[in-house]
Amino acid sequence: MERKSAAGSIRNKERSKKKFLDAVGKILKTKGYAGLKVNDIATVAGVDKKMIYTYFGGMNGLIDEYIRSQDYWSNVTTDKMVPDFESGGRLFTEAMLLEQYDYVFKNKELQKLLLWRLSEPRKALNNMTNAQEENGESLFKFIIEPHFREKTQDFRAISAIIISGLYYLNMYSALNGSVFCGIDLSTEEGREKIKKAVSFLVDQTYENL
C-alpha cells in the first residue's frame, strides 16, 4: 500500500508540475510575459499557488524550468543524430540550424521568451542564455574545433550571424508581417529559400574558411 501511495504521489506531483508549465505557456501566448503572475498561473493551472513554491521553489524556478523545456539550443543533444566527425560536423551543423529555424517558427511560446529576453534583464532568461552557451560550447569543442583549429573563432562568428538571423526572421514574420527582403516567410516556398540559403552558407564556410 505504501508503495502504491508513493507512486501515486509522484504521479500527482508530475501532473501538477505539468499543469503549471502548461499554464505558463498559455499565458505567454495570450497575455505575454507581463501576464505571468503567481495568482494567474495558479488559476489557469487549477492548482494551489503554494505548490509553485513546493515544486519549483518559487516563480523563478518555475520560469526556469519552463524556459528549459522550450528552448531549442538548451536541449540539443547528439541522441537524434550522430555528428559526422570526419567532415567536422558539416551535416550535423546544417541539420541543427535548419531544425532550429522550423522549431522557433512553430513554437509561439519560445518566440515570446526570445522577445522577453531582449526587453528586460531577468535571472531565468539569463539562465536560458547560459544554458545555450554551455550546450553550444560542447558542440564547438568536440566537433567544430578539431576541424577548424585556428579558424574556430571565425566559424563562431559566422554561426552567430546565422543563428541570430534565423531567430529574427521568425520573430519578424510572426509580429510585423511576413515579407522580408521580398521573400514571403509565411509561405513554404519562402521558408524553403531561407533554408537553401542556410545550406549554402554552411557549405561555403566549410569549403572556404
Side-chain angles (χ1 to χ4, degrees):
M1 289 294 290
E2 286 184 14
R3 253 185 222 171
K4 286 186 180 179
S5 177
S9 178
I10 291 170
R11 284 195 296 271
N12 287 336
K13 176 181 177 180
E14 292 308 312
R15 277 196 293 267
S16 294
K17 287 181 69 174
K18 186 177 186 306
K19 286 179 180 179
F20 280 127
L21 294 169
D22 289 345
V24 171
K26 288 176 184 176
I27 291 172
L28 268 177
K29 280 198 291 187
T30 56
K31 298 181 180 179
Y33 49 82
L36 292 174
K37 311 293 184 185
V38 171
N39 289 336
D40 293 341
I41 292 172
T43 299
V44 172
V47 182
D48 191 326
K49 67 181 181 182
K50 292 178 182 176
M51 304 313 288
I52 291 177
Y53 300 91
T54 301
Y55 294 150
F56 303 98
M59 273 291 288
N60 279 335
L62 171 58
I63 300 301
D64 254 350
E65 188 157 336
Y66 178 77
I67 288 172
R68 280 196 300 272
S69 73
Q70 296 297 312
D71 178 46
Y72 177 73
W73 288 104
S74 298
N75 291 289
V76 167
T77 67
T78 57
D79 295 342
K80 291 188 258 182
M81 176 180 174
V82 178
D84 44 322
F85 290 99
E86 289 185 8
S87 68
R90 184 174 185 162
L91 295 176
F92 182 78
T93 299
E94 180 182 344
M96 291 299 98
L97 290 170
L98 295 178
E99 191 174 316
Q100 176 218 328
Y101 184 49
D102 284 337
Y103 182 83
V104 177
F105 176 71
K106 295 171 184 174
N107 194 323
K108 304 305 178 186
E109 294 98 322
L110 178 56
Q111 291 173 17
K112 298 280 188 182
L113 289 173
L114 293 170
L115 288 170
W116 189 11
R117 182 169 65 175
L118 291 173
S119 64
E120 68 170 277
R122 189 182 179 96
K123 183 180 178 182
L125 296 168
N126 187 49
N127 288 342
M128 176 173 90
T129 302
N130 292 337
Q132 288 177 330
E133 286 297 311
E134 286 174 13
N135 238 23
E137 194 58 33
S138 296
L139 297 175
F140 280 121
K141 185 175 181 180
F142 296 110
I143 302 173
I144 306 302
E145 204 168 283
H147 180 79
F148 284 102
R149 300 179 184 276
E150 70 278 0
K151 296 283 189 179
T152 299
Q153 286 298 103
D154 298 317
F155 183 89
R156 288 173 184 265
I158 293 168
S159 297
I161 292 171
I162 296 174
I163 291 171
S164 60
L166 293 177
Y167 277 143
Y168 182 81
L169 289 176
N170 273 318
M171 290 188 288
Y172 176 88
S173 64
L175 294 170
N176 292 317
S178 59
V179 178
F180 192 90
C181 287
I183 298 174
D184 190 344
L185 301 172
S186 68
T187 67
E188 194 61 39
E189 293 80 8
R191 291 183 61 77
E192 195 59 35
K193 286 191 178 296
I194 298 298
K195 291 180 181 180
K196 286 181 179 178
V198 171
S199 298
F200 173 79
L201 291 171
V202 172
D203 286 344
Q204 289 297 307
T205 299
Y206 272 87
E207 288 173 13
N208 301 308
L209 189 60

